[in-house]
Amino acid sequence: MKINFRKAALAVTFALAGASSQLAHADMLAGTNVKFTGYVKADAMISNYSEGALGSGSIGRDFYIPSLTPVSGGDEGAQFDAHIRQSRFRFTTNTPTDEGDSITGVLELDFIVTSGGNERISNSYLPRVRHAFIKYKNWLIGQTWTTFMDVGSLPESLDFIGTTDGITFGRQTMVRYSNNGFEVALENPEATVTPNGGGGRIVADDNAVPDLIAAYTAKRDWGHLKVAGLVRQLSYDDGQGIDDDETSYGVAVSGKFKLGNGDDIRFMVNGGSGMGRYVALNASNGAVLTANGDLEAIDSTGYAVAYRHIWNDKMRSNFMFSALDVDNDTALTGMSVTESTYSTRANLLYSPTRALTVGAEYTFAKREVESGLEGDMNRIQVSAKYAF
């Protein structure tokens, strides 16, 4: 048997180098704590629309999207859907530093609002990134909830969000500084525009500056109160003569008030000019084009309230109402844009043990467009959720 000593020496060299690299990496991560959490959730729902229906594959059949409630068409009967797309997995790492601080990293995935298989055979869904960020001292860098949002004001709902119509909601990449309840962030910008006279949404990626958000949260024994402000630039350049910028702003006040016996009230009120995608899952765009190709910001107001009642140590209910009102200039937007939406829902949740929850929820939602056409949705949803 012939031995190629040159190749053998190279193999040993590479092996030693790899082992040295692994040892160096292991030493660098010494003391790092890794935590894996999440939940497995199965949902089934029956939906009935007064006007038309949502087609197969529409994300509005997985969870409530205010702008998708049909306002024209005939009653096509009820639709049944079942999925596990809300199931979620979260990895959190914490690495101590030599200076006595720590670095936190978060990566979270779920399967909703993604493509993949179909309901005929596999029901396979691609994972998507929800959160991916780094925290060090007072700084956060990466993708997570927008600073304009108050996660603590969200009620417990079987729906993906619950009080969707009246709240600010979004995840995006940012740089955020936090200190004693104060937060200031520069976040990824994106403008959504309605063409002059109406038509399909224009998603303009022409912003030159990030969105600026500042917030303050006061946490007390009675709960918390958050005030947030947003200033951003709406920009659109089609490369064919339209090139305009418009400054927009928004204010949101939200909170949670604790009552006796574990009950609580959660709320949010928001208003502004050109908030667009920040509210009601972009039910209204941030701006509309004038006949001259200029951008005009669209005003909107949203509000939501939810009451949680604890029946006993294993059973609870949530009662919710949320609404959005949009002030459209119909001479510019046309008559087919959303004028208002609202939804109300009630649920009953039962946890035989802390990690397991089953429940049922009823939802009624209504949408009206500027022409006066309107439609509503009735939905019954049941879920089973195992959190770990």
Side-chain angles (χ1 to χ4, degrees):
M1 180 180 66
K2 293 183 178 180
I3 299 176
N4 189 321
F5 289 99
R6 183 173 180 275
K7 288 184 177 180
L10 285 173
V12 170
T13 301
F14 284 129
L16 290 173
S20 176
S21 175
Q22 290 178 5
L23 287 172
H25 184 67
D27 182 64
M28 182 181 68
L29 295 181
T32 294
N33 178 57
V34 180
K35 187 178 181 181
F36 176 50
T37 58
Y39 59 75
V40 177
K41 185 169 184 273
D43 292 288
M45 61 196 77
I46 298 177
S47 307
N48 183 268
Y49 300 89
S50 64
E51 306 293 329
L54 297 182
S56 177
S58 171
I59 59 174
R61 295 179 63 160
D62 295 330
F63 66 99
Y64 171 59
I65 307 239
S67 60
L68 294 186
T69 303
V71 296
S72 62
D75 185 353
E76 298 185 18
Q79 296 176 315
F80 176 84
D81 293 285
H83 63 84
I84 48 76
R85 304 186 74 164
Q86 286 191 39
S87 298
R88 186 175 303 172
F89 304 98
R90 184 182 181 101
F91 300 88
T92 305
T93 63
N94 191 277
T95 304
T97 68
D98 295 337
E99 296 76 23
D101 301 305
S102 63
I103 304 169
T104 299
V106 171
L107 175 64
E108 183 176 291
L109 310 170
D110 71 0
F111 307 89
I112 208 160
V113 199
T114 65
S115 59
N118 53 65
E119 296 183 29
R120 293 184 297 107
I121 300 171
S122 66
N123 286 270
S124 303
Y125 307 110
L126 298 174
R128 65 163 186 169
V129 174
R130 285 170 50 86
H131 301 275
F133 62 85
I134 305 163
K135 289 181 70 176
Y136 177 61
K137 293 186 177 181
N138 299 94
W139 294 93
L140 181 148
I141 302 174
Q143 176 171 303
T144 190
W145 299 115
T146 172
T147 312
F148 197 48
M149 177 184 174
D150 181 6
V151 179
S153 69
L154 293 178
E156 188 177 14
S157 172
L158 300 189
D159 181 70
F160 187 55
I161 302 173
T163 48
T164 316
D165 310 76
I167 64 167
T168 58
F169 187 94
R171 289 182 300 272
Q172 55 199 14
T173 302
M174 67 187 70
V175 176
R176 178 196 293 166
Y177 178 81
S178 305
N179 191 8
N180 293 325
F182 288 96
E183 297 174 298
V184 179
L186 296 176
E187 304 192 7
N188 188 56
E190 187 79 298
T192 55
V193 180
T194 301
N196 182 256
R201 169 179 292 145
I202 300 170
V203 180
D205 193 16
D206 300 315
N207 300 80
V209 295
D211 296 352
L212 173 63
I213 302 172
Y216 175 70
T217 304
K219 295 183 178 180
R220 302 291 186 269
D221 293 339
W222 46 260
H224 79 270
L225 182 69
K226 178 174 180 176
V227 179
L230 161 73
V231 178
R232 67 181 187 134
Q233 178 194 63
L234 302 174
S235 300
Y236 179 46
D237 182 357
D238 70 348
Q240 301 176 4
I242 297 177
D243 184 5
D244 193 38
D245 300 321
E246 175 76 359
T247 301
S248 74
Y249 64 90
V251 177
V253 180
S254 58
K256 171 183 171 181
F257 294 103
K258 298 177 183 178
L259 306 174
N261 194 36
D263 292 8
D264 64 59
I265 296 175
R266 309 178 191 210
F267 76 95
M268 169 171 279
V269 180
N270 63 79
S273 180
M275 291 191 294
R277 65 185 179 87
Y278 279 95
V279 235
L281 300 183
N282 211 166
S284 170
N285 291 323
V288 59
L289 280 172
T290 68
N292 296 325
D294 298 326
L295 291 175
E296 183 176 298
I298 299 173
D299 297 345
S300 65
T301 304
Y303 51 95
V305 63
Y307 168 60
R308 181 180 73 160
H309 177 64
I310 305 297
W311 299 105
N312 54 51
D313 60 350
K314 297 182 181 295
M315 192 175 297
R316 60 204 178 274
S317 289
N318 296 269
F319 305 92
M320 304 160 239
F321 178 83
S322 62
L324 171 72
D325 292 306
V326 185
D327 186 12
N328 295 294
D329 183 347
T330 54
L332 301 177
T333 63
M335 303 297 286
S336 63
V337 293
T338 298
E339 176 188 16
S340 64
T341 71
Y342 76 82
S343 66
T344 182
R345 65 185 71 227
N347 62 38
L348 180 64
L349 307 175
Y350 174 69
S351 298
T353 184
R354 184 177 179 181
L356 182 64
T357 299
V358 294
E361 182 169 286
Y362 168 72
T363 302
F364 175 81
K366 188 171 184 177
R367 172 177 171 241
E368 183 175 356
V369 298
E370 290 288 355
S371 67
L373 292 175
E374 58 184 39
D376 60 56
M377 178 195 78
N378 286 274
R379 173 172 288 173
I380 296 175
Q381 182 170 352
V382 294
S383 300
K385 175 181 174 181
Y386 161 55
F388 54 88

